Amino acid sequence: MCHLRQFICSILLAFALYSSLQAQANPSFSTRPTSPFSIALETLQNQIQYTFQDVELLRRALTHASYSGENNRALSVLGEKVIEGSVSLQLLSKDIDMSPKDLNRVIVELSSNVVTSCAADGGRLGLQKIIRVSRKTNSSAPAVVCGAFRAMFGAIAIDKSSLDSAGKVFLTIHGKGMEKAMAM
């Protein structure tokens, strides 16, 4: 009986060591996403060409207030400021002599279309299929998609501790729409 117990312990120890070596040799071995939501988050990171150090920030960015108290509202506010800052930077880089009045006018014009614009960008990324909402909330509603889109940039800003990094990701995703704004 004692030999059997030692044999079983030896097998379990060998399996534990093998698993540990596999995890070290192949980091994706132990961190492979398994839920559809986790897989969608991984795919989204590939699409936006940004990998989160803290994927929980992206998870929160894609969680609507109707789904959980831990949601994307505050991240969406920060993301909106990231977007406004990126647009302002691009406009002033093209015309440093732009008056504050003209700069504000262009930002207001862009902001008036922001829900349509960011909902379109978010739709192209498929956020309406990823965002977690309650059963009573339409995940395809422009305000829901736009909120998630903006929250994503707020999450990147926190993840990188940099508004500039988040702005660069935004400009990469939204770049073609910026060309029209710059022509104003």
Side-chain angles (χ1 to χ4, degrees), residues 79-93 95 98-115 117 150 170 174 178 180-182 184:
E80 182 177 14
K81 301 308 175 197
V82 166
I83 292 168
E84 287 177 0
S86 298
V87 169
S88 298
L89 180 63
Q90 291 298 310
L91 291 170
L92 289 175
S93 294
D95 182 9
M98 178 181 262
S99 73
K101 183 179 178 180
D102 288 342
L103 179 62
N104 279 326
R105 179 186 53 77
V106 172
I107 291 172
V108 166
E109 287 174 10
L110 291 171
S111 295
S112 67
N113 294 326
V114 76
V115 171
S117 175
R150 289 185 296 208
F170 166 75
H174 188 71
M178 280 300 299
K180 293 177 186 173
M182 305 289 258
M184 294 180 161

Side-chain angles (χ1 to χ4, degrees), residues 38-177:
S38 294
I39 292 168
L41 295 181
E42 187 174 279
T43 301
L44 179 61
Q45 290 177 87
N46 290 333
Q47 281 181 284
I48 65 173
Q49 298 173 357
Y50 179 82
T51 302
F52 278 81
Q53 295 171 18
D54 181 0
V55 78
E56 289 303 312
L57 289 166
L58 181 58
R59 186 177 301 276
R60 183 172 216 157
L62 294 171
T63 302
H64 188 262
S66 67
Y67 186 84
S68 173
E70 293 182 4
N71 57 61
N72 65 6
R73 282 185 170 171
L75 290 173
S76 183
V77 171
L78 177 58
E80 182 177 14
K81 301 308 175 197
V82 166
I83 292 168
E84 287 177 0
S86 298
V87 169
S88 298
L89 180 63
Q90 291 298 310
L91 291 170
L92 289 175
S93 294
K94 296 287 185 191
D95 182 9
I96 192 65
D97 294 321
M98 178 181 262
S99 73
K101 183 179 178 180
D102 288 342
L103 179 62
N104 279 326
R105 179 186 53 77
V106 172
I107 291 172
V108 166
E109 287 174 10
L110 291 171
S111 295
S112 67
N113 294 326
V114 76
V115 171
T116 305
S117 175
C118 73
D121 287 339
R124 279 192 293 280
L125 292 173
L127 297 185
Q128 71 281 5
K129 296 175 185 172
I130 304 171
I131 188 166
R132 298 185 298 181
V133 298
S134 72
R135 295 179 201 263
K136 296 179 181 180
T137 302
N138 179 0
S139 65
S140 296
V144 172
V145 175
C146 184
F149 183 73
R150 289 185 296 208
M152 191 171 61
F153 300 108
I156 293 169
I158 292 172
D159 192 56
K160 272 299 225 191
S161 296
S162 168
L163 297 173
D164 289 341
S165 294
K168 287 176 184 173
V169 175
F170 166 75
L171 292 173
T172 299
I173 293 169
H174 188 71
K176 292 179 181 168

